[in-house]
Amino acid sequence: DDDYAYSIASTENGFLILSGSYSDDGQVGENKGDQDFWLFEIDENGSYQWGTTYGGSGRDRPSSLNVLEDGFIVSGYTESEDGDVENGSGAADVWVLRFGEDNNLLWQQTYNSGLGFARDNDLKVLPDGGYVIAASPFGEIGMHDFWLFQINETGEMLWEQHYGGSGDEFKPKLEMLLDEEGEVEGFLFA
């Protein structure tokens, strides 16, 4: 079985790692179906502290991890409609999970562009609260487009927009452009 690390972030206790896992043994412990999100923390010496998996019977692939003052937030995609996934369509929805300070799940939400298969995504924390997510679902304009949307602190979608041309736009990497006061001026797809 293959386990892949997708993101790592420093915490006050060491490092939080977001991985994808097909395993159901060792430190992973449980597999819910295909690939799952596997979150785990190691201390500054690399010793395993805790871990948990999230997923359903379909493929659930993580992509983004952000540590917050009061917990952390992760994103990826899910092809599941069961297990830990609430309201999944089975068509590679963007899946966002928000955790509190004690690593407890506060909320989760799936997002579907209506065009299907939003496999690659990137999530950024906005300076004034909320989050912005870039994904590349099947295209409204071309084969694959960039899909940008903003959600608030509880996961409610505030707005969305598709960008692209007649070709393919893949694997969005999102950067925020900030002004001198730290306010968001715009976004850059890289």
Side-chain angles (χ1 to χ4, degrees):
D1 292 329
D2 296 327
D3 301 326
Y4 301 93
Y6 288 94
S7 190
I8 185 168
S10 295
T11 67
E12 62 185 36
N13 301 320
F15 300 96
L16 186 62
I17 299 167
L18 177 62
S19 176
S21 178
Y22 292 95
S23 298
D24 61 0
D25 57 4
Q27 292 154 326
V28 177
E30 179 183 12
N31 181 279
K32 315 271 172 96
D34 196 312
Q35 185 180 37
D36 292 333
F37 285 33
W38 178 32
L39 289 160
F40 65 98
E41 189 170 38
I42 58 173
D43 67 17
E44 61 277 352
N45 298 314
S47 296
Y48 184 85
Q49 300 300 299
W50 64 268
T52 188
T53 57
Y54 289 89
S57 60
R59 178 176 294 149
D60 308 299
R61 180 171 289 172
S63 60
S64 180
L65 164 67
N66 289 271
V67 173
L68 309 169
E69 289 181 16
D70 61 347
F72 55 96
I73 189 165
V74 301
S75 72
Y77 75 84
T78 179
E79 294 177 355
S80 297
E81 301 174 78
D82 57 7
D84 298 320
V85 180
E86 296 176 3
N87 302 314
S89 72
D93 302 317
V94 172
W95 192 24
V96 177
L97 298 94
R98 172 68 163 91
F99 297 85
E101 293 177 271
D102 297 328
N103 308 324
N104 55 318
L105 181 64
L106 299 176
W107 57 262
Q108 64 159 300
Q109 183 66 46
T110 57
Y111 305 91
N112 190 298
S113 70
L115 303 171
F117 296 98
R119 286 197 170 136
D120 298 311
N121 65 71
D122 192 16
L123 180 145
K124 298 294 184 199
V125 179
L126 295 170
D128 59 350
Y131 315 97
V132 66
I133 301 164
S136 60
F138 282 148
E140 185 173 77
I141 303 165
M143 181 61 179
H144 288 90
D145 293 331
F146 287 135
W147 177 36
L148 185 68
F149 62 97
Q150 183 180 350
I151 60 175
N152 67 14
E153 293 87 355
T154 60
E156 176 186 358
M157 185 182 289
L158 302 176
W159 57 263
E160 66 179 314
Q161 186 64 49
H162 291 264
Y163 305 94
S166 60
D168 286 339
E169 288 74 44
F170 281 115
K171 297 196 183 287
K173 181 71 176 154
L174 183 63
E175 297 297 331
M176 288 186 291
L177 304 174
L178 304 176
D179 65 17
E180 294 174 2
E181 287 81 40
E183 298 294 320
V184 177
E185 284 189 325
F187 303 98
L188 176 66
F189 292 112

